[in-house]
Amino acid sequence: TSLLLMAGIMVAVGLCRRLTRHRLRAHPRLCTFLLEMFSTFQICACTNELCLLGNVEPKPHTALTLTYGFTVLHGLTLTGSTCNPCGTLQPMWGGGISVKMGGLKITAQFVAAVLARVFMHFIWSLEMAEPHFAALSQGCSSPMQTTETQAFCIELLFSVVFQLSVLRVEGVNPKYKVHLIALLITMLVYAGGNLTGAIFNPALAFSLHANCFYDKFFSYSLVYWIAPSLGKFLILYVF
């Protein structure tokens, strides 16, 4: 049921993206906003569902396999979208897009994060699958299983590794590039998923753990917003 749900989300987002491109060509800003919003919605909604499957046996093989598989699918179906505020900072810094357009994309990403969380909570309330039964009663299911300082350093390191790798594989054939990125993300999730969740995406972190941001805003904004953004600025400064 969970796999069918995620497949349905991807098909629906694909249709919305195609409709947006065809109908809103004359409105580039609105088109950009909606494309980024739909793409980020897909990643956030699917990842919310994937988190519920983390305890499916055999652990952690099932969760890692699904992470790799769906990351590949996201990469193949969401071409042209960043879906990560940290990734949007690079073209803004380099002058590839204006600050206004970059702000528009980041706004779309956070709007999508909220919409994905609301949508998944509605789906979970229907209790279509066993993992959904207790999903709404978890509250702040904190992914931070270490000290705040260590969590900050881990998310900072993972952000640097991920963003640097993305820059280094820019010239690789897209068919192979998506698998390399998916493999890297899977390795990072395996290495740090039990400590911080290995998210390194501020919008995705907010979608997955909004309750935790409400309860401990400073700690979670430091680890899941500031650390990945700082990692991105370090990469931009080095390059």
Side-chain angles (χ1 to χ4, degrees), residues 17-32:
R17 280 168 54 87
R18 180 173 294 183
L19 248 141
T20 300
R21 285 199 183 97
H22 286 313
R23 299 292 178 88
L24 297 175
R25 287 180 180 176
H27 307 278
R29 287 187 179 177
L30 180 59
C31 183
T32 298

Side-chain angles (χ1 to χ4, degrees), residues 144 147-149 151-153 155-156 196 200 218-228:
M144 203 187 302
T147 65
E148 188 177 298
T149 303
F152 178 88
C153 293
E155 286 294 310
L156 174 64
T196 66
F200 47 89
F218 178 76
S219 296
Y220 275 76
S221 60
L222 184 69
V223 172
Y224 295 106
W225 287 354
I226 296 175

Side-chain angles (χ1 to χ4, degrees), residues 153-172:
C153 293
I154 290 170
E155 286 294 310
L156 174 64
L157 175 63
F158 283 6
S159 178
V160 168
V161 171
F162 176 72
Q163 300 294 344
L164 183 60
S165 300
V166 169
L167 290 173
R168 300 298 283 179
V169 300
E170 276 186 349
V172 177

Side-chain angles (χ1 to χ4, degrees), residues 43-52 112-114 116-117 120-121 124 135 138-143 196-213 220 224:
I43 288 180
C44 291
C46 289
T47 308
N48 267 282
E49 186 68 19
L50 275 175
C51 286
L52 297 183
V114 174
R117 183 165 183 84
M120 292 310 296
H121 274 222
W124 293 342
Q138 289 179 354
C140 172
S141 53
S142 176
T196 66
I199 302 173
F200 47 89
N201 180 335
L204 178 59
F206 185 68
S207 183
L208 293 176
H209 307 291
N211 291 336
C212 298
F213 280 93
Y220 275 76
Y224 295 106

